[in-house]
Amino acid sequence: MNQKVTEWIDSHKDELVTDVKKLCSIPSVLADAEGDAPFGPECKKALNTAIDMAAGYGFATKNYDNYVGTADLDPSLPHTLDMLGHTDVVPAGEGWTVTEPFHVIEKDGRLYGRGTSDDKGPLLCALYAMRALKETKTPLTKGVRLIMGSDEETGSIDITKYYAVEKEAPMTFSPDAEFPLINIEKGQFRGTLSKKLTASDKKPALLSLDAGIALNAVPQKAKLVFSGLDFNAEDVKFAIASVEKDCQVSCEIDAETETITIIGESAHASTPELGKNAGLAGVLLCNRLPLAECEQTKLLKEVEILFPYGVTDGSGIGINMKDEESGAVTCTLDLYHVTAEEMSFSFDARTPLCAGEDNCVKVAKDHVEKAGFDWSTPGLVEPHAVSADSPFVKTLLKAYSDVTGLEGKAVAIGGGTYVHDLKNGVAFGAVLPDVDTHMHGADEFMDIDNLVIATKVFAEAIEQLCR
């Protein structure tokens, strides 16, 4: 390890924290394009703030039409290593208790706020690693570039634009996940089951059910509106209490407006078992309430069969499978919209290397259509894998172990990162093992010590790969 670099990073911790607070205060959630802001003005602002930070620290920067920004440590050196992060974030969501999502605070050694761990904090760790090497005049013979995108959470159109005009570096890592290193990212399979309904005038009835704010996040809140439901009836009280107990959620009742709001717990779609799915709890509640039978209630019962509460292996739609290298399917129903005239539900599944059109897409379609729903899907996104035995992966893992003293090993995950479509790309940090930062959920945080350690790991990795 480079002692000068380590000392520089320690002495600039407060500056790093200040920059993280500044960048995370910008609500850079996807919005409609406006002028030269392809993902909305806030996404443009966050991207340009990060670019300006890099330029202010003396790096050669470039703005690719407000889609992507880059910072090169030394543009005269051969382009060898890319670090790929993003400045956009998922919607704020509800359920925050420590602070408001875009008012970042420091508490008990942690920074709380949307983007602190996904991915503004880690992106700035990569920038500060470059800055540490630059300001300590550490000699390198190969070039390193920080790529800053602004649409990772909602389609990665930014990176498509970037790689249309720029070549992949021989090596790329993204500080957009967890340490030690992710060399396999499962495939992604999404689908929507929907149905136009014949409205019924029978009561009591469900007027609407809505849940979910993003397809890649377990819904934390569901709102149900009824007509003609007697909230004082014992069978209604029993149904509500049973769902609260069985699903470990809470139900807020407004008898005057005949509304029930269910509060669960969000989680990333790649780890749905960590959440409490408020949308599915809402479906279960409807199925237990004494609602008048109609086409709507019949299909809601089918939803419960296709996506049983607490079951996240895709078995309800027939796609439960696994392999030794990449693990098992995860599947979660995350978007819900039900009225008297229509219903639609969308799921997000993460699929192992063994999944394909025949054993996954066609099987799910068959189950959904047999249940009486219409079916649509964008298809299966292929998984991504880089050999764990490659010199690139081994060098990154050595850097991680040298800095942290922890075991370095390559793992497979269900989440997707920017490197999913890059030939020699892996996800490398920045969250330390066994730390749940509530990524995509309420009270997202990043430990300040984690930020410092990640910066040291990145600096060590750059030096070992590019010296």
Side-chain angles (χ1 to χ4, degrees), residues 100-384:
E100 294 298 315
F102 298 105
H103 178 68
V104 183
I105 67 166
E106 182 177 342
K107 181 180 180 181
D108 300 327
R110 291 176 169 175
L111 293 180
Y112 285 88
R114 178 63 81 225
T116 51
S117 63
D118 183 21
D119 183 44
K120 294 175 179 177
L123 180 146
L124 290 176
C125 291
L127 177 62
Y128 268 68
M130 290 172 56
R131 186 183 170 198
L133 293 166
K134 180 178 183 294
E135 296 190 12
T136 57
K137 296 181 171 56
T138 300
L140 301 176
T141 61
K142 301 172 185 177
V144 57
R145 171 178 293 175
L146 176 61
I147 304 173
M148 300 167 278
S150 57
D151 183 45
E152 191 274 343
E153 299 290 2
T154 48
S156 298
I157 296 172
D158 53 348
I159 292 303
T160 301
K161 293 275 189 179
Y162 174 80
Y163 285 115
V165 297
E166 298 285 2
K167 293 181 180 180
E168 290 182 30
M171 302 176 289
T172 304
F173 74 76
S174 177
D176 188 25
E178 299 84 31
F179 286 122
L181 180 146
I182 296 159
N183 70 317
I184 296 177
E185 296 177 12
K186 292 179 181 179
Q188 186 177 74
F189 172 42
R190 290 173 167 178
T192 296
L193 42 157
S194 59
K195 193 72 174 180
K196 295 294 184 182
L197 305 174
T198 301
S200 172
D201 58 2
K202 298 178 181 178
K203 293 184 179 181
L206 173 69
L207 296 183
S208 65
L209 186 164
D210 288 284
I213 58 174
L215 189 46
N216 62 354
V218 174
Q220 181 260 348
K221 178 181 178 180
K223 182 178 180 180
L224 296 84
V225 182
F226 299 90
S227 176
L229 187 65
D230 182 1
F231 285 85
N232 292 315
E234 289 302 318
D235 52 355
V236 172
K237 292 180 180 179
F238 179 80
I240 294 171
S242 69
V243 167
E244 287 185 314
K245 178 182 178 182
D246 294 345
C247 301
Q248 296 180 305
V249 297
S250 62
C251 295
E252 301 173 357
I253 301 170
D254 186 334
E256 184 176 346
T257 61
E258 297 190 65
T259 299
I260 298 177
T261 302
I262 298 178
I263 305 298
E265 185 174 340
S266 186
H268 194 277
S270 64
T271 53
E273 70 280 1
L274 301 179
K276 302 289 187 295
N277 195 316
L280 269 182
V283 172
L284 264 66
L285 178 58
C286 291
N287 292 340
R288 295 180 182 184
L289 288 170
L291 302 179
E293 292 187 6
C294 61
E295 184 182 16
Q296 180 202 69
T297 58
K298 177 183 177 182
L299 288 172
L300 285 174
K301 288 180 172 62
E302 294 293 336
V303 173
E304 184 177 348
I305 295 171
L306 294 170
F307 299 93
Y309 189 89
V311 177
T312 57
D313 64 359
S315 55
I317 54 175
I319 63 171
N320 51 316
M321 65 187 79
K322 63 181 179 179
D323 57 46
E324 184 175 351
E325 191 173 7
S326 57
V329 167
T330 59
C331 182
T332 171
L333 195 64
D334 290 340
L335 296 180
Y336 302 70
H337 176 64
V338 181
T339 68
E341 292 81 24
E342 62 181 359
M343 59 172 56
S344 66
F345 308 89
S346 296
F347 69 84
D348 183 334
R350 307 301 168 100
T351 54
L353 298 176
C354 61
E357 183 74 21
D358 289 337
N359 66 352
C360 188
V361 180
K362 291 181 179 178
V363 172
K365 177 178 184 292
D366 183 58
H367 277 68
V368 168
E369 291 182 342
K370 282 185 177 178
F373 291 96
D374 297 323
W375 163 257
S376 64
T377 179
L380 184 68
V381 177
E382 295 297 321
H384 169 73

Side-chain angles (χ1 to χ4, degrees), residues 17 155 407 448:
V17 167
E407 179 187 4
I448 294 173

